[in-house]
Amino acid sequence: MVATIKDLLENGCHFGHPTKKWHPNMKKFIFTKRGGIYIIDLAKTLNQLQKAYNYLKEQAANGAEFLIVGTKRHTRDIIRNEAKRANIHYIVERWIGGLFTNFSIIRSRIDYMLQLEKMANEGILEQLPKKTAKKYYKELQYLQTQYEGLRNMYKIPDVLIVVDVRREDIAIAEANKMGIPIVGIVDTDGNPDIVSLPIPANDDALKSVQFLTAKIADAIFEGKNAYQSTVAV
């Protein structure tokens, strides 16, 4: 078992949004309401989390590539750290429009960032006129902010993971258009039907996001180890 209901409870995964802010399609995942707030059915959360864990582990064991997206400011560090631990691509600043639908153009921007980094590391930028060098450094800083988590992504990912389906609706729309499966953490204000595998849970609280993204990273990490063992043989 990937977790227990006690684990979910202790990490505040059951707290939804105020009852005035909810999506009717989440009704099947809501247990009750308390103090004007919806309480998520943790038995169903656990079931969905287990399904997601098994799916992500299996995909990773088959060599799949993943992209996790979570652009809320207060959860960026958590998502970045877990993505790095699982060695998967990530976006924590803002969604890059056309990432899936115009990937070749976005990849050219990433390659340009890598070229500027190489020039900076080799001291080439320092040899340019001061004004020109400043321009390139500023551009490099911007590109690194936007594309840092995508530097090793050379093709469209096989699976998209989103933290807060309501906030990352454009990413989900692009993924659905391209037929990319989506695993998504869905709070009571989100629509679970727009993702392939919803995990009903609190997508705002740091403890909840940390716990759930760590489980996601664990699944991918475990699957990747199995994949590497197979390749080694």
Side-chain angles (χ1 to χ4, degrees), residues 11-130:
N11 285 283
C13 298
H14 57 300
F15 292 117
H17 282 269
T19 53
K20 61 182 179 181
K21 291 173 59 180
W22 79 300
H23 196 289
N25 290 358
M26 276 297 287
K27 185 177 181 180
K28 58 192 172 187
F29 293 122
I30 293 174
F31 177 69
T32 187
K33 54 185 176 182
R34 190 177 302 151
I37 293 176
Y38 278 122
I39 303 299
I40 296 167
D41 188 335
L42 290 184
K44 293 182 177 177
T45 298
L46 183 59
N47 182 56
Q48 290 298 110
L49 179 59
Q50 186 68 58
K51 285 181 181 179
Y53 191 97
N54 293 343
Y55 172 74
L56 293 169
K57 178 183 172 182
E58 180 183 10
Q59 290 296 308
N62 290 328
E65 289 197 19
F66 304 85
L67 169 65
I68 186 168
V69 180
T71 59
K72 288 178 180 174
R73 185 179 296 274
H74 68 292
T75 62
R76 285 174 183 168
D77 287 343
I78 291 172
I79 294 166
R80 182 188 292 110
N81 291 339
E82 291 300 331
K84 287 183 176 181
R85 182 168 70 87
N87 192 24
I88 63 175
H89 315 300
Y90 62 89
I91 292 178
V92 294
E93 290 294 329
R94 68 172 181 82
W95 177 252
I96 301 160
L99 178 60
F100 295 154
T101 53
N102 290 296
F103 179 71
S104 60
I105 293 174
I106 302 301
R107 184 62 231 183
S108 68
R109 295 293 291 162
I110 299 170
D111 289 338
Y112 177 56
M113 175 189 76
L114 298 177
Q115 181 184 352
L116 287 180
E117 284 182 345
K118 187 171 184 291
M119 292 170 68
N121 292 335
E122 293 177 354
I124 295 174
L125 294 186
E126 292 295 331
Q127 298 172 22
L128 298 174
K130 191 173 182 180

Side-chain angles (χ1 to χ4, degrees), residues 144-182:
Q144 287 174 329
T145 299
Q146 298 301 315
Y147 301 116
E148 175 61 30
L150 305 176
R151 59 173 57 241
N152 297 315
M153 194 170 90
Y154 292 96
K155 71 180 188 70
I156 295 173
D158 300 294
V159 181
L160 174 67
I161 303 160
V162 296
V163 180
D164 190 341
V165 302
R166 191 164 177 266
R167 184 179 179 90
E168 313 304 343
D169 58 330
I170 299 175
I172 289 170
E174 282 198 34
N176 281 327
K177 185 176 181 179
M178 301 296 290
I180 301 170
I182 308 165

Side-chain angles (χ1 to χ4, degrees), residues 3 7-8 11 13 49 206-215:
D7 293 330
L8 298 173
N11 285 283
C13 298
L49 179 59
L206 289 177
K207 283 184 70 176
S208 177
V209 173
Q210 174 69 75
F211 179 78
L212 295 170
T213 54
K215 291 300 178 183

